[in-house]
Each structure stands twice: as C-alpha cells, then as structure tokens.
Amino acid sequence: MENNFFSKFFGHCDRHEHWMSKCLKKERLARRKVNADKAKAKNVQRQSNIVSIFDDERWKFLDSDD
C-alpha cells in the first residue's frame, strides 16, 4: 500500500497525518508559549533600558522649560 500512487488521493494517509498533526500540536503550542514569554521578557528589558538611559542627568535639559 505504501507504493500505491493513488492511495494518497483516496485518503489512505489522511488518517495517519491527522493523528501526527494532533500529536505535534501540543508540542508546537508549548514552543509558541515559551517563545512568547521570552519575547515579553525581552521587551520589558528593552523598555527598562530605554527608561534608564533617559533618566540619566544628561537628558534632564529636555524636560526643562527654560
């Protein structure tokens, strides 16, 4: 059945592909969550770096109304 060219057109492999996709979906969603958490942490770090740069005394003249 593996070598039958027409079996894929009649749905022979669909069942196996469906179960494989269902199994891998859990892994994909877990990777996606980990990557999203890493991206959020990286964005927080960037924001804190930007804030610390502009909190420096050298930039205080931008806030003054002189």
Side-chain angles (χ1 to χ4, degrees):
M1 198 62 131
E2 295 172 6
N3 297 328
N4 189 352
F5 178 73
F6 293 102
S7 65
K8 66 180 175 181
F9 295 113
F10 295 110
H12 175 71
C13 298
D14 289 344
R15 187 173 25 139
H16 302 294
E17 188 174 338
H18 171 73
W19 287 108
M20 182 180 66
S21 296
K22 191 173 182 178
C23 178
L24 295 176
K25 182 179 180 180
K26 293 176 187 175
E27 293 178 16
R28 187 180 70 244
L29 292 177
R31 271 195 324 268
R32 212 169 132 185
K33 179 165 177 29
V34 167
N35 288 337
D37 292 342
K38 283 181 184 178
K40 286 177 187 177
K42 197 171 187 177
N43 285 336
V44 167
Q45 181 63 36
R46 280 190 190 133
Q47 286 290 21
S48 67
N49 288 344
I50 290 171
V51 167
S52 67
I53 289 171
F54 285 104
D55 279 347
D56 195 3
E57 289 297 321
R58 293 177 286 179
W59 300 97
K60 294 295 182 185
F61 71 92
L62 292 175
D63 290 334
S64 65
D65 291 334
D66 297 335

